[in-house]
Amino acid sequence: MPIASPASSPAFASDTSRRGAGWAIFATVVAAIASAALLLWTVGDATFAGAFLAGLAGIGALMLLRARVWARTVAEPAPAPVDIALLRAALDSASAAVAITDAAGAMVAANEAYEQWFGRGTPFELTLTSEDPDRLRAAGRDARRDGAASAGRVQVNGLALRADVDRAGLDDHLVWKFVRSEDFDLVREAHRLIAGEAGNRIGEAGVMAALADGAGNLISANRAFVARATGHADSAVAGTALVSLLAASEDGAFHFAGEGKSGLALRIVQIPVSDGRDPLTLFLLLDDPAGRFGKLGGEESASVNALLDFLPLGLALANVDGRFVYLNKAFRKAAGLAANARPLYPGDLVVDEDKAAVSDSVRRFARGPTTSSDMAVRLRSNPEEPIALTLAGARGLGEAAVILSLKDNSEADRLKRQVAQATKMQAVGQLAGGVAHDFNNILTAILGYCDLMLMRHTPGDSDYDDIQQIRSNSNRAAGLTRQLLAFSRQQTLRPQVLQLPDVISEVSNLLKRLLGETVKLQVKHGRNLGAVRADPGQLEQVIVNLAVNARDAMQGKGDGTGTLTLQTFAVSTEDVRKIGSDILPLGEYTALKVSDTGTGIPHNMLGKIFEPFFTTKEVGKGTGLGLSTVYGIVKQSGGFIFAESVEGEGTAFSIYLPVHRTEGKQAAAREKAPEPQGELWGTGTILLVEDEAMVRAVAERALTRHGYKVLTAENGEAALEILAREGGVDLMVSDVVMPTMDGPTTVREARKTHPDLPILFISGYAEEQLRKSIDLENVAFLAKPFSVRKLAEAARDALRAK
């Protein structure tokens, strides 16, 4: 870029002129004074000399003023004229419509796109088809003040645009930019539906559809409308004003202008699609040969009702007074209405708290403009789940003035609740399992020390009864932890292949005692029942818990009488398919249904009954772990449990256990518990690895008292060091979960140097779960909390198996 020299610049010239003018003034003043002094010396008259000096001063002032005017003229050259052609060429290169206005609002220049879209008018003169016609003027004022402004999305001549204004230049010019809006998805989607196959289908049913913008210009129409309005189905109607295609007769009936006065009268239904700055309206036109202007009745009413019933969207019509005129099938289903229910007002469908809001909205839309709005309401049929109710003003549907819409979200809501419930149950289960595991360590120490103290006391001692009481309460606490572990599916199970009728037969006598004389027990067994693999003791616990809850529910109903029914039946793969459950996988099951005739469970509580510590009983009655234990045992056994209840009639729990296929003719029978095997005294060296100091201490004392030499280690690393130093270790007793190096990792390292070393794992987690993750042979397992005797028996059996 060339740089101008200082001598040629206007600033330099102005500065030079000022310096020259200063020297000239100084010289003139000196000359004037000298001339006056010479004249005074020659003539000798002071008055004459003063007058001469004043005249010279006036002449000098006039010369100085003229010199300054000339210098300013030289320093400030006249502005060059604006090259409009060059400016227009620059503007035409932009893809948007661009215009420039001066400070007075007059047009300076505009590009070709601007003239094509808006003509030659200034941006201030454009007419907006929106709710705020002065937005462009306001944007211009804001841009002059702030330097830039935006009018947002506007609609001019049917074009959806975004308008921005910037201030530029020394004279406050405004640059206007209009860009096509790319977010008009609603228009494109509506055009696709109406002008596509869907529009053709409703056209074949005699419904003419057209979509218009806020100015009444058509955006799209189906072929049936175009054919009737123009006479040709392929004619283009986009941009045409809807009113130009219609005409009104003397009695107020509308018909197509192209058909003349002999054309059929039309029933016009106006449905707002969107509101705001760019409103869209859907017009549905139906032939009305009788000219009744939307009085639905007879065959026409049946046709419209059939059309609305065909739609999957729940729709209802209400009149000006807010009364229901019509409800389609989808609306009834979404509102939870029975087939014979006849609600009078929309407010009858919602809870009392929402009645006033719904009634006010219906009256407002019935008498106000044809707009639409959504509101969240709670239905009487399901007060826990808010649902969206859409209301829109309607005209041309006879006495119907408001359209109400409900979407049936029951299936989606059910799936969401099930997922949320499963996630919550899993999280609570993990928490309960962790708490139970830590609590088991404490109970192991308490029970162990109680056993050690009982070895030093005999019945009749002053402390013997107290120790027994501590031990008894500790066992009760251990039972609670087993329930928590059952809920979290971390309980130690002893699964066997068995038949459900055998389990029910063994527990039936206990149930009769629990139920009492007022409750009748009925047992029904189905045929061709498949064997299941489960822990029989835990299945008995499931049946007892459900029976006790049923007894309490029946005792709370009237005279306390009722019937408890235990029913077993086979479920085939086809039966599962007919059930249609999203949770129950396809397969063969043996099912157990436990039903009662009690008070039932409220619908809003059904989703919470399996949560731990949730109970509907009085304070002090029940722990709230009964059903959560049932849930955990069933899930840990690979089964599924479902609850159904009707208030005032009773509750039924259905348990589905997968059929266990055995090879050959394996008998499905219970295994008897092993008999005690004599003396617990033993010899040998045991390496005890336990990170909990209290458990390690009580286990060491218990094993030492039974004749063993015990080496202790607080973690896996220490155990490996002891094993390397002590060569004669006969048994390793190790916890499973430990910091840094867990039990299985420690055993694998130990087996590298002692491949035949027997292992006894002690843990509060489920044996079955641990065995799936531990691929080791010659491993025994003892669940916490354990007594001194159980620990001694487990150590003896592990050494004998060696």
Side-chain angles (χ1 to χ4, degrees), residues 436-557:
H437 177 262
D438 293 340
F439 197 48
N440 273 336
N441 286 331
I442 300 174
L443 290 176
T444 299
I446 295 175
L447 289 172
Y449 282 116
C450 285
D451 290 341
L452 293 175
M453 293 175 67
L454 287 174
M455 291 179 182
R456 301 194 302 269
H457 293 77
T458 58
D461 290 351
S462 59
D463 296 333
Y464 185 85
D465 292 338
D466 295 337
I467 298 171
Q468 284 284 21
Q469 190 66 33
I470 295 172
R471 193 173 189 278
S472 175
N473 289 328
S474 300
N475 284 325
R476 289 184 59 192
L480 289 176
T481 60
R482 281 194 295 271
Q483 288 182 316
L484 287 175
L485 287 172
F487 166 73
S488 62
R489 287 173 268 173
Q490 298 174 7
Q491 186 183 22
T492 299
L493 299 181
R494 306 292 181 184
Q496 301 175 16
V497 179
L498 49 83
Q499 289 284 351
L500 279 182
D502 296 339
V503 178
I504 295 175
S505 176
E506 293 196 12
V507 79
S508 58
N509 290 330
L510 174 61
L511 292 180
K512 291 177 182 178
R513 292 195 298 270
L514 289 174
L515 296 176
E517 297 180 356
T518 59
V519 177
K520 181 182 178 182
L521 176 64
Q522 285 186 350
V523 179
K524 301 177 182 179
H525 293 306
R527 295 182 179 180
N528 301 322
L529 299 178
V532 299
R533 187 173 185 271
D535 187 328
Q538 297 302 321
L539 279 185
E540 290 179 1
Q541 183 69 41
V542 167
I543 297 172
V544 168
N545 285 6
L546 294 177
V548 169
N549 281 351
R551 179 201 63 189
D552 296 342
M554 288 183 285
Q555 289 179 349
K557 181 181 179 181

Side-chain angles (χ1 to χ4, degrees), residues 1 12 23 39 43 69 95 129 133 152 184-185 233 343 347-348 451 498 604 616 619 624 661 697 721 790 794:
M1 178 178 179
F12 180 82
W23 283 108
L39 185 62
V43 178
V69 172
S95 59
T129 55
F184 218 34
D185 294 337
D348 297 337
D451 290 341
L498 49 83
N604 59 342
T616 57
V619 178
R661 298 298 180 186
E721 292 178 1
K790 286 185 178 181

Side-chain angles (χ1 to χ4, degrees), residues 291-609:
R292 291 178 295 214
F293 308 110
K295 296 180 181 178
L296 301 180
E299 295 181 359
E300 296 172 359
S301 176
S303 299
V304 174
N305 291 353
L307 178 63
L308 293 178
D309 273 338
F310 178 74
L311 297 176
L313 181 65
L315 293 174
L317 304 177
N319 60 16
V320 177
D321 297 328
R323 290 175 175 264
F324 276 124
V325 177
Y326 173 76
L327 299 88
N328 71 350
K329 295 179 181 178
F331 189 92
R332 287 180 170 276
K333 181 180 179 182
L337 294 175
N340 57 350
R342 297 289 183 271
L344 293 178
Y345 298 95
D348 297 337
L349 305 178
V350 300
V351 297
D352 294 340
E353 293 82 356
D354 295 340
K355 272 191 173 185
V358 172
S359 300
D360 292 343
S361 298
V362 171
R363 286 194 295 268
R364 184 172 69 253
F365 281 98
R367 295 176 171 82
T370 56
T371 57
S372 63
S373 177
D374 294 338
M375 62 184 304
V377 297
R378 290 169 296 163
L379 299 176
R380 283 183 176 273
S381 58
N382 188 12
E384 299 296 324
E385 296 289 338
I387 190 172
L389 173 65
T390 302
L391 301 97
R395 305 295 179 265
L397 282 177
E399 59 178 325
V402 180
I403 297 177
L404 299 95
S405 172
L406 276 179
K407 185 178 179 182
D408 182 16
N409 293 323
S410 57
E411 189 67 17
D413 292 341
R414 183 180 65 84
L415 292 176
K416 287 192 292 185
R417 286 195 300 270
Q418 288 177 348
V419 172
Q421 179 71 7
T423 304
K424 181 169 63 176
M425 296 288 278
Q426 181 180 7
V428 176
Q430 291 176 349
L431 175 62
V435 171
H437 177 262
D438 293 340
F439 197 48
N440 273 336
N441 286 331
I442 300 174
L443 290 176
T444 299
I446 295 175
L447 289 172
Y449 282 116
C450 285
D451 290 341
L452 293 175
M453 293 175 67
L454 287 174
M455 291 179 182
R456 301 194 302 269
H457 293 77
T458 58
D461 290 351
S462 59
D463 296 333
Y464 185 85
D465 292 338
D466 295 337
I467 298 171
Q468 284 284 21
Q469 190 66 33
I470 295 172
R471 193 173 189 278
S472 175
N473 289 328
S474 300
N475 284 325
R476 289 184 59 192
L480 289 176
T481 60
R482 281 194 295 271
Q483 288 182 316
L484 287 175
L485 287 172
F487 166 73
S488 62
R489 287 173 268 173
Q490 298 174 7
Q491 186 183 22
T492 299
L493 299 181
R494 306 292 181 184
Q496 301 175 16
V497 179
L498 49 83
Q499 289 284 351
L500 279 182
D502 296 339
V503 178
I504 295 175
S505 176
E506 293 196 12
V507 79
S508 58
N509 290 330
L510 174 61
L511 292 180
K512 291 177 182 178
R513 292 195 298 270
L514 289 174
L515 296 176
E517 297 180 356
T518 59
V519 177
K520 181 182 178 182
L521 176 64
Q522 285 186 350
V523 179
K524 301 177 182 179
H525 293 306
R527 295 182 179 180
N528 301 322
L529 299 178
V532 299
R533 187 173 185 271
D535 187 328
Q538 297 302 321
L539 279 185
E540 290 179 1
Q541 183 69 41
V542 167
I543 297 172
V544 168
N545 285 6
L546 294 177
V548 169
N549 281 351
R551 179 201 63 189
D552 296 342
M554 288 183 285
Q555 289 179 349
K557 181 181 179 181
D559 55 359
T561 61
T563 302
L564 174 66
T565 304
L566 303 181
Q567 181 182 3
T568 59
F569 54 94
V571 181
S572 64
T573 303
E574 185 61 29
D575 295 333
V576 176
R577 187 176 288 107
K578 291 179 180 179
I579 293 174
S581 174
D582 298 318
I583 298 176
L584 191 64
L586 293 178
E588 296 183 353
Y589 297 88
T590 298
L592 169 63
K593 187 174 184 179
V594 181
S595 56
D596 62 63
T597 57
T599 56
I601 302 173
H603 178 73
N604 59 342
M605 294 185 180
L606 270 178
K608 304 177 181 179
I609 58 175

Side-chain angles (χ1 to χ4, degrees), residues 191-216:
H191 172 76
R192 183 185 66 83
L193 291 174
I194 294 175
E197 184 63 23
N200 294 336
R201 289 293 181 89
I202 65 174
E204 293 172 359
V207 179
M208 294 163 282
L211 184 70
D213 58 20

